Amino acid sequence: DDITYFRDSELALIQTYKSLLDLQFALDQSSIISVTDASGNIISFNDNFVRISGFDRNEIIGQNHRIINSSYHSKFFFQEMWETISSGKVWHGEIKNKRKDGSTYWVDSHIIPFLDENGVPFQYISIRTDITLKKGAEELLAANEEKFRLLYENAPIGIMLVDIDGHITECNE
């Protein structure tokens, strides 16, 4: 009639549940989350998914992630992703997606399979971070580097690059 064990178990369960809620809150604040079934149909998602995609909640549930496919990546890209996750391995990469209004955004994505007792995926969770500004900065940098290269190569005067010791490291024609 000693219920100490049951009370301690209940307290441990409550503490574990609170920890899980705290983790979920942290992820929801910082990431774009969606969960799919084994077929890739979206069964749950957080508010950040709704915010960045521009779709209403009822437009997302039950859909495949093709709803946000921008057609930027090749079919091979997605086939390789699917092969990785369906074999029970985590996939990581950058994906260009499309909002409901047609504009695009980039995400750094991790797709983690949840495995059953036989090691077969029964769900996938996708945890993504918006990297649209980073990708824009990379594109701007590449464009500026190209402008510099063209100016350097086609300048009507000689240009030399020297290191800190005064040694010539490069020069144009």
Side-chain angles (χ1 to χ4, degrees):
D1 302 323
D2 181 11
I3 62 167
T4 304
Y5 172 77
F6 295 109
R7 183 181 50 85
D8 290 346
S9 296
E10 184 179 25
L11 289 174
L13 183 60
I14 291 169
Q15 187 175 18
T16 300
Y17 182 68
K18 169 78 169 88
S19 293
L20 286 173
L21 287 176
D22 289 345
L23 286 172
Q24 181 180 3
F25 177 77
L27 281 172
D28 283 341
Q29 296 305 303
S30 63
S31 301
I32 303 157
I33 309 288
S34 63
V35 179
T36 67
D37 61 19
S39 300
N41 298 316
I42 301 169
I43 58 176
S44 69
F45 48 90
N46 69 354
D47 290 341
N48 287 338
F49 189 98
V50 173
R51 180 188 50 75
I52 196 164
S53 72
F55 286 94
D56 293 328
R57 298 189 85 73
N58 59 349
E59 293 176 301
I60 299 168
I61 200 74
Q63 294 292 323
N64 191 285
H65 275 93
R66 283 188 285 272
I67 194 171
I68 55 173
N69 186 339
S70 68
S71 300
Y72 176 83
H73 304 281
S74 69
K75 286 184 181 182
F76 177 75
F77 176 87
F78 291 108
Q79 287 171 344
E80 192 174 68
M81 173 198 301
W82 188 253
E83 286 174 15
T84 301
I85 63 174
S86 62
S87 70
K89 297 176 186 156
V90 174
W91 181 88
H92 174 246
E94 294 179 348
I95 303 175
K96 185 176 187 177
N97 286 329
K98 181 176 67 173
R99 292 183 181 88
K100 183 178 179 179
D101 69 7
S103 63
T104 58
Y105 61 97
W106 281 91
V107 291
D108 181 58
S109 181
H110 287 80
I111 304 174
I112 301 100
F114 291 165
L115 308 178
D116 64 16
E117 60 277 354
N118 299 316
V120 177
F122 68 92
Q123 281 184 346
Y124 303 98
I125 185 168
S126 181
I127 303 172
R128 297 175 296 270
T129 305
D130 183 359
I131 58 167
T132 306
L133 291 176
K134 174 187 165 220
K135 294 299 276 189
E138 288 173 356
E139 289 174 11
L140 185 59
L141 179 61
N144 284 334
E145 286 175 345
E146 178 65 11
K147 285 180 189 174
F148 173 78
R149 185 189 63 77
L150 289 171
L151 286 170
Y152 175 78
E153 289 175 356
N154 298 306
I157 59 170
I159 300 173
M160 280 190 297
L161 300 177
V162 295
D163 64 19
I164 199 156
D165 297 322
H167 299 104
I168 298 171
T169 59
E170 191 176 334
C171 63
N172 67 355
E173 289 295 318

